[in-house]
């Protein structure tokens, strides 16, 4: 791989090459990507989607929206820091092509902003609930009529693949989705492969997948334009190097910010928690400044900012030390795995898992989320399939009137119908899913 191709400004439908030297410096193409994402309806829906605590009644707990904004800010810093060193290492990128270090920050910021845009309601349990509907619930009846890869897309429903679909899929009158630059799309593709084979290697790029069967053609076009290296399995590519920075931004934020939410909710005792953060920043902390802070929220805010800054600097160091391997596609793990703060990060994550992710409040709401998603999927998929077969009941006809028009089309294949239905459910906010469930089960009129 080489940076000239990896930084492609091309967009869906372009007939001419976009050159960095010809860009309007007041509104760069990579910055346009950020704007298009932030004004999209799919991004707005993240304001009411779970980050850690489903349907939280408190103001300070993060949603997918606030999390995504914070990941984007951290990603911008990571991209700029790495960009300075990349431009220094490959001066022709600037001298010949006109790229600036800020371009790297803009690409990573945009991809990071969109990184959760395809996630269903109720956090990661939402993905599992959709998958289990098709693997062990009523949806298993459709298996015999689907190809192996089509069925795998459904039983292993993936928010990353749904995100790529949202960002790129053409609709009537809207060709190419948001029409983002291919560089930003490449950085977004965390796991650049199809759903099968599942986890063929221990390489981080094989952990999940990033493309439904419905979107493979454009997925391959993006990979070809960027020069992503083909890997040993068909439909599988090496990561765009900047994906490692997008991932690091996410890892840094959920490590520190989810931990902070746990403290604010009282799930993690303050003294216990601050001790963990101090271990992470002990080499950089200004003890006099810290001890002058009288309130817990100020102490926590100071340590959080210092911890994020510390991890940004270290992640940039790891990225540049392994940049040659990353470009060759041979670097196989997350950046924080090579961090000198790995032990401290793992301690924080372990405590968060114990006290926050497995707290009674989270578990109880995830249980409810499973039932809500399964019931909605059963009602809508059943109505769509029976309509396709010409066997729709009066109830089916009524319930389909509540679907947005673009999800009612039954003219395509069974796979297309079921995928669209799943993606509709994934598009719902937590509150919308609860509201729809109450309506279709007769709990609320």
């Amino acid at each position: 791989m080489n940076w000239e191709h990896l930084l492609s400004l091309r967009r869906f439908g372009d007939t001419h090459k976009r050159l960095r030297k010809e860009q309007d410096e007041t509104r760069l193409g990579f910055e346009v990507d950020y704007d298009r994402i932030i004004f999209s309806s799919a991004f707005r829906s993240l304001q009411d989607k779970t980050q850690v605590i489903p349907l939280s009644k408190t103001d300070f707990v993060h949603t997918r929206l606030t999390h995504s904004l914070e990941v984007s800010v951290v990603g911008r810093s990571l991209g700029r820091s790495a960009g300075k060193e990349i431009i220094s290492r490959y001066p022709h990128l600037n001298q010949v092509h006109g790229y600036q270090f800020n371009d790297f920050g803009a690409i990573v910021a945009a991809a990071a902003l969109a990184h959760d845009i395809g996630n269903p309601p109720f956090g990661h349990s939402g993905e599992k609930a959709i998958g289990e509907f098709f693997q062990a619930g009523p949806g298993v009846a459709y298996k015999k009529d689907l190809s192996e890869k089509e069925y795998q897309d459904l039983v292993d429903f993936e928010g990353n693949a749904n995100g790529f679909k949202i960002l790129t899929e053409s609709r009537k009158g809207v060709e190419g989705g948001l029409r983002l630059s291919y560089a930003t799309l490449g950085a977004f593709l965390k796991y650049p492969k199809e759903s099968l084979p599942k986890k063929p290697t221990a390489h981080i790029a094989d952990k999940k997948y990033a493309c439904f069967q419905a979107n493979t053609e454009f997925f391959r076009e993006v990979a070809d334009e960027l020069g992503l290296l083909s890997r040993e399995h068909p439909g599988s590519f090496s990561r765009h190097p900047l994906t490692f920075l997008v991932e690091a931004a996410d890892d840094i934020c959920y490590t520190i910010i989810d931990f902070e939410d746990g403290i604010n909710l009282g799930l993690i005792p303050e003294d216990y928690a601050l001790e963990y953060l101090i271990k992470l920043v002990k080499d950089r902390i200004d003890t006099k400044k810290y001890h002058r802070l009288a309130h817990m929220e100020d102490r926590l805010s100071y340590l959080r900012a210092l911890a994020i800054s510390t991890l940004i600097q270290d992640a940039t160091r790891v990225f540049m030390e392994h940049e040659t391997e990353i470009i060759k596609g041979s670097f196989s793990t997350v950046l924080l795995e090579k961090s000198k703060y790995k032990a401290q990060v793992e301690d924080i994550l372990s405590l968060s898992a114990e006290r926050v992710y497995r707290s009674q409040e989270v578990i109880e709401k995830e249980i409810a989320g499973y039932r809500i998603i399964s019931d909605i999927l059963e009602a809508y998929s059943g109505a769509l399939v029976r309509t396709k077969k010409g066997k729709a009941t009066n109830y089916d006809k009524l319930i389909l009137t509540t679907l947005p028009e673009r999800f009612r089309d039954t003219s395509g294949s069974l796979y297309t119908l079921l995928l669209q239905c799943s993606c509709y459910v994934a598009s719902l906010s937590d509150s919308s899913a609860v509201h729809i469930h109450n309506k279709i089960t007769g709990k609320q009129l």
Side-chain angles (χ1 to χ4, degrees), residues 370-432:
Y370 265 88
R371 180 60 184 270
I372 289 167
I373 286 176
S374 180
D375 287 351
I376 295 174
L377 267 175
E378 183 173 9
Y380 283 118
S381 66
L384 286 165
V385 171
R386 285 188 290 273
T387 298
K388 182 176 178 61
K389 293 179 178 179
K391 298 179 180 179
T393 65
N394 286 330
Y395 175 77
D396 293 335
K397 294 173 184 177
L398 286 171
I399 201 167
L400 290 186
T401 64
T402 67
L403 262 181
E405 187 175 355
R406 65 191 180 94
F407 292 104
R408 296 181 207 167
D409 184 9
T410 60
S411 62
S413 67
L414 176 64
Y415 165 72
T416 300
L417 182 153
L418 294 174
L419 181 63
Q420 285 291 86
C421 184
S422 299
C423 291
Y424 165 68
V425 173
S427 75
L428 299 173
S429 66
D430 292 8
S431 296
S432 292

Side-chain angles (χ1 to χ4, degrees), residues 113-384:
L113 187 71
H115 83 282
D116 273 348
I117 204 167
N119 280 28
F122 307 112
H124 288 297
S125 66
E127 289 175 318
K128 294 174 183 174
I130 293 172
E132 289 187 11
F133 172 81
F134 292 102
Q135 188 167 40
V140 75
Y142 305 122
K143 180 178 181 180
K144 65 183 184 300
D145 298 314
L146 300 169
S147 73
E148 188 179 11
K149 286 186 175 181
E150 289 173 343
Y151 186 61
Q152 188 64 34
D153 283 357
L154 298 173
V155 299
D156 200 16
F157 187 86
E158 176 56 51
N160 289 286
N162 189 39
F164 184 72
K165 182 175 185 291
I166 289 168
L167 296 176
T168 65
E169 190 170 57
S170 296
R171 308 196 299 275
K172 188 175 181 179
V174 184
E175 297 300 316
L178 297 187
R179 292 190 70 242
L180 305 182
S181 71
Y182 286 18
T184 293
L185 290 174
F188 172 84
L189 289 168
K190 203 171 177 181
Y191 310 105
K193 64 181 289 292
E194 299 173 26
S195 58
L196 286 177
K198 184 173 181 177
K199 295 183 181 179
T201 74
H203 195 292
I204 187 61
D206 288 333
K207 183 179 178 182
K208 298 180 183 178
Y209 71 98
C211 175
F212 294 131
Q213 288 302 296
N215 310 114
T216 54
E217 183 178 350
F218 187 59
F219 167 68
R220 288 173 182 150
E221 180 179 316
V222 171
D224 288 344
E225 167 69 16
L226 297 171
L228 302 185
L229 301 174
S230 294
R231 300 182 66 227
E232 57 268 35
H233 304 286
S236 176
F237 296 88
S238 293
R239 276 181 165 184
H240 190 296
L242 296 183
T243 304
F244 286 94
L245 297 180
V246 175
E247 179 178 59
D250 187 23
D251 290 348
I252 289 169
C253 285
Y254 78 68
T255 297
I256 305 301
I257 306 297
D258 289 2
F259 192 63
E260 182 182 14
D261 278 351
I263 299 165
N264 284 325
L265 287 167
L267 298 172
I268 300 172
E270 177 193 350
D271 291 343
Y272 201 30
L274 295 182
E275 179 185 344
Y276 275 66
L277 288 175
I278 289 170
K279 286 180 181 177
L280 178 59
V281 301
K282 65 180 187 297
D283 296 333
R284 302 182 65 198
I285 192 169
D286 183 337
T287 53
K288 289 184 179 179
K289 179 178 180 178
Y290 179 74
H291 289 302
R292 284 198 301 269
L293 300 172
H295 304 290
M296 186 272 282
E297 58 265 32
D298 293 327
R299 293 192 293 274
L300 183 56
S301 178
Y302 173 69
L303 292 176
R304 179 235 301 139
L306 199 56
I308 290 175
S309 174
T310 298
L311 292 174
I312 286 173
Q313 289 185 23
D314 194 54
T316 303
R317 174 192 63 80
V318 174
F319 181 84
M320 292 311 303
E321 284 182 1
H322 295 275
E323 187 257 352
T324 301
E325 298 165 63
I326 289 170
I327 286 287
K328 291 179 179 178
S330 59
F331 188 76
S332 62
T333 188
V334 300
L335 296 181
L336 291 194
E337 183 69 22
K338 301 289 186 181
S339 172
K340 61 184 177 183
Y341 302 103
K342 178 185 175 183
Q344 292 91 327
V345 167
E346 288 181 345
D347 284 344
I348 290 172
L349 289 173
S350 178
L351 189 59
S352 292
E354 177 189 343
R355 300 294 183 93
V356 182
Y357 305 141
R358 292 197 289 266
S359 69
Q360 197 64 26
E361 180 181 5
V362 170
I363 290 172
E364 288 173 356
K365 288 179 178 176
E366 285 189 348
I367 291 170
Y370 265 88
R371 180 60 184 270
I372 289 167
I373 286 176
S374 180
D375 287 351
I376 295 174
L377 267 175
E378 183 173 9
Y380 283 118
S381 66
L384 286 165

